[in-house]
Amino acid sequence: MKSLRVYLIALGSLMLIYLVAQYNRPKAINWNETLDINDKIPFGTYILYSQINDIFPAANVTTYREPLYNVINDHGIKHATYLIICSSINLNEYDYIKLRKFVNEGNDVFIAASYFGEELGKDLKVQTQVVFENKDALGIRFSNPKMDTTQLYSAERGMNTGYFSKIDTAKALVLGKNTKHKTNFLKYTIGKGHIFLNANPLMFTNYSLLTSGGMDYAAKALSVVKNDGNLIWDQYYTPGRPEDENNHACIFTKPFFAVGILFVLFQHGTFYSI
């Protein structure tokens, strides 16, 4: 019995040391592409959201987590700049009709995404693709003469690899390309307003804005958009935060709770059958 108690104490001590070490070790970086304004992780948009009034100084910024149709229709919005930064967007027919009407009446809409959906893609005749070869050496720059075309922006982790593989040049004005001469930034004039499409949404995230030139790229890309008195920041089409997948994680991921379990088991002799 004595040798067993010694064994259990030694085992508990080793477990305690291990768990404390695990508890205190640096947390792994969360690389989820949430593009959420509340997220300070690399691929959140906390920094851009916090600094947006530096780019749109006159704007009253309002966030909505509703479909585009509901935002414009239900809130009676007539004049505003609409900003959407997401991994992908797939507007339904009613959303897109509302978007077209909103732009036609003199408003600007800026969408940064890797995929723009069927309705928008069909009407504007655009498709997107990603560069896979030599992507680490890839750079992007603005190509419109009214913008600074000399600055080259490089990026890590594939943040600048998106481009438009299909474009209707009769409708679109090219604003940016990568060093493989692939277009990644477009402008469409519809009635009195404009739609801007950018194929590199990660260039507007925290990770990009903290790299050399990242904030400069985001600011210049957004500076082409009308500085309206109202700015709508979409939070509906962003991937957002994934649900907690650790609800059923092993209890030993919570060190002090695990030590408590070991202590209780020891006190009640549960290990005696070993």
Side-chain angles (χ1 to χ4, degrees), residues 110-173:
F110 181 98
I111 307 175
S114 298
Y115 172 70
F116 291 90
E118 296 181 7
E119 288 294 328
L120 190 150
K122 179 174 62 177
D123 185 55
L124 299 183
K125 295 181 172 58
V126 292
Q127 291 180 359
T128 52
Q129 190 56 267
V130 174
V131 174
F132 290 104
E133 298 179 0
N134 299 320
K135 62 182 182 180
D136 292 335
L138 192 69
I140 59 176
R141 57 165 52 96
F142 299 111
S143 59
N144 188 272
K146 295 182 179 181
M147 306 173 73
D148 181 4
T149 61
T150 62
Q151 179 67 44
L152 183 67
Y153 301 93
S154 59
E156 302 174 9
R157 293 185 169 268
M159 291 189 296
N160 62 355
T161 56
Y163 69 93
F164 294 99
S165 56
K166 178 182 177 182
I167 305 168
D168 184 351
T169 54
K171 292 184 176 182
L173 175 65

Side-chain angles (χ1 to χ4, degrees), residues 225-242:
V225 182
K226 182 186 299 182
N227 186 7
D228 198 280
N230 295 307
L231 175 68
I232 299 171
W233 189 302
D234 166 75
Q235 280 283 275
Y236 178 79
Y237 299 102
T238 62
R241 303 181 183 187

Side-chain angles (χ1 to χ4, degrees), residues 24-214:
N24 290 314
R25 73 176 182 177
K27 292 183 178 180
I29 296 175
N30 182 353
W31 291 103
N32 287 330
E33 298 177 10
T34 66
L35 298 160
D36 191 288
I37 61 174
N38 298 301
D39 284 345
K40 299 178 183 179
I41 60 176
F43 292 144
T45 53
Y46 177 84
I47 295 176
L48 182 61
Y49 180 73
S50 299
Q51 301 297 318
I52 198 64
N53 280 122
D54 292 342
I55 304 171
F56 300 99
N60 175 37
V61 184
T62 308
T63 61
Y64 289 96
R65 198 174 289 276
E66 302 174 50
L68 186 145
Y69 180 94
N70 298 62
V71 172
I72 298 173
N73 189 71
D74 297 351
H75 298 279
I77 296 172
K78 301 296 182 183
H79 302 289
T81 293
Y82 211 121
L83 178 61
I84 303 172
I85 301 174
C86 58
S87 294
S88 64
I89 183 171
N90 193 9
L91 300 174
N92 62 35
E93 179 183 356
Y94 303 103
D95 287 326
Y96 189 64
I97 290 174
K98 182 63 72 173
L99 171 67
R100 292 269 316 192
K101 182 179 179 182
F102 183 70
V103 173
N104 189 68
E105 292 172 349
N107 299 294
D108 282 4
V109 175
F110 181 98
I111 307 175
S114 298
Y115 172 70
F116 291 90
E118 296 181 7
E119 288 294 328
L120 190 150
K122 179 174 62 177
D123 185 55
L124 299 183
K125 295 181 172 58
V126 292
Q127 291 180 359
T128 52
Q129 190 56 267
V130 174
V131 174
F132 290 104
E133 298 179 0
N134 299 320
K135 62 182 182 180
D136 292 335
L138 192 69
I140 59 176
R141 57 165 52 96
F142 299 111
S143 59
N144 188 272
K146 295 182 179 181
M147 306 173 73
D148 181 4
T149 61
T150 62
Q151 179 67 44
L152 183 67
Y153 301 93
S154 59
E156 302 174 9
R157 293 185 169 268
M159 291 189 296
N160 62 355
T161 56
Y163 69 93
F164 294 99
S165 56
K166 178 182 177 182
I167 305 168
D168 184 351
T169 54
K171 292 184 176 182
L173 175 65
V174 176
L175 298 181
K177 292 185 177 183
N178 62 32
T179 47
K180 291 183 178 289
H181 309 291
K182 303 291 187 181
T183 298
N184 55 27
F185 193 15
L186 296 170
K187 174 184 178 181
Y188 296 85
T189 299
I190 299 174
K192 299 177 182 179
H194 309 90
I195 295 178
F196 297 88
L197 302 183
N198 190 297
N200 294 291
L202 296 184
M203 289 298 292
F204 301 89
T205 60
N206 301 326
Y207 191 85
S208 175
L209 270 58
L210 290 174
T211 61
S212 177

